[in-house]
Amino acid sequence: DSGVTQTPKHLITATGQRVTLRCSPRSGDLSVYWYQQSLDQGLQFLIQYYNGEERAKGNILERFSAQQFPDLHSELNLSSLELGDSALYFCASGRTGVQETQYFGPGTRLLVL
Amino acid sequence: GENVEQHPSTLSVQEGDSAVIKCTYSDSASNYFPWYKQELGKRPQLIIDIRSNVGEKKDQRIAVTLNKTAKHFSLHITETQPEDSAVYFCAASRGVFGAGTILRVKS
């Protein structure tokens, strides 16, 4: 157990819908990273937050957005969902936000039908 | 931005043999290089890491080497065991991962 929690564990929804994925970092970690992992794919970096502020942006679609709240938990919002958005979404947390070990949560498996 | 290339994409070895996975990176400012192991259906977990002030680090059967001049680093697993079968990811800089290597250890 890494200490990072993600909810929900599974999510099934329809195309065109909007969902919110939640992540709570390890105690003391200020940084949260979001990744998308499709079937047989690697880890695609989406976005990073550090202490409430966006720190880095990767291959995140405009239909996706995220934020980190004052209590440091983070939410990833996915809207206008398409079939291709079906994937495993991981969040990870880190202490400093810079070139560090990342501790991954268990992931949220999203299925868009 | 940073680009990380990882080879090979798949690797099959016989139990007891060694396995080597290589990564190259593009950003010379990167100074932290972790390796993660992801078993089927599970989260990636750190197995070893190295910082740019050292050239090699070892932890039991696992070692990582770094060549900053050439901008590449490698994971070495000796005396492989079936439980080493997994996907291995290298990473450099902030959030940039290699594409992963599927390692299969045949018993």
Side-chain angles (χ1 to χ4, degrees):
Chain A
D1 186 358
S2 65
V4 179
T5 60
Q6 286 187 250
T7 57
K9 195 170 182 179
H10 300 280
L11 198 50
I12 302 174
T13 188
T15 54
Q17 295 298 303
R18 173 190 168 95
V19 297
T20 297
L21 312 183
R22 182 187 170 105
C23 170
S24 292
R26 291 187 322 157
S27 177
D29 284 357
L30 299 178
S31 189
V32 171
Y33 305 77
W34 284 99
Y35 293 89
Q36 180 191 59
Q37 187 174 44
S38 303
L39 198 62
D40 296 333
Q41 296 280 325
L43 291 159
Q44 298 298 316
F45 170 61
L46 297 178
I47 197 163
Q48 179 203 3
Y49 281 83
Y50 179 79
N51 203 21
E53 300 290 326
E54 182 182 306
R55 175 69 66 93
K57 215 167 196 177
N59 300 320
I60 188 167
L61 300 172
E62 284 192 14
R63 300 184 285 109
F64 296 179
S65 64
Q67 59 184 126
Q68 186 179 27
F69 295 86
D71 67 352
L72 301 177
H73 91 272
S74 178
E75 292 181 357
L76 179 67
N77 300 296
L78 315 177
S79 61
S80 302
L81 285 167
E82 301 174 0
L83 296 178
D85 297 327
S86 296
L88 191 52
Y89 290 84
F90 285 106
C91 80
S93 76
R95 191 77 50 166
T96 66
V98 181
Q99 306 207 48
E100 60 185 343
T101 301
Q102 296 181 30
Y103 297 89
F104 283 79
T108 292
R109 188 170 294 281
L110 173 67
L111 181 59
V112 182
L113 300 175
Chain B
E2 176 74 276
N3 183 47
V4 178
E5 293 190 1
Q6 183 172 344
H7 300 281
S9 56
T10 60
L11 180 59
S12 289
V13 299
Q14 207 61 37
E15 183 178 358
D17 288 349
S18 295
V20 181
I21 304 170
K22 299 180 179 180
C23 287
T24 60
Y25 62 98
S26 60
D27 187 353
S28 56
S30 290
N31 61 16
Y32 175 67
F33 307 92
W35 285 90
Y36 293 83
K37 176 183 180 182
Q38 186 178 24
E39 296 177 354
L40 192 63
K42 296 190 176 179
R43 74 190 81 189
Q45 290 189 290
L46 179 77
I47 54 170
I48 196 168
D49 57 11
I50 191 168
R51 294 198 180 268
S52 59
N53 55 347
V54 297
E56 183 173 359
K57 183 176 178 181
K58 194 172 180 181
D59 182 4
Q60 299 183 344
R61 298 185 296 107
I62 295 173
V64 56
T65 58
L66 171 65
N67 183 326
K68 278 225 80 175
T69 303
K71 293 189 197 157
H72 67 72
F73 56 111
S74 300
L75 177 71
H76 304 254
I77 306 174
T78 58
E79 300 172 25
T80 53
Q81 300 168 4
E83 51 265 38
D84 294 330
S85 296
V87 181
Y88 291 82
F89 293 97
C90 62
S93 192
R94 180 175 25 237
V96 183
F97 280 70
T101 296
I102 300 172
L103 174 63
R104 294 191 183 93
V105 180
K106 298 174 286 188
S107 56

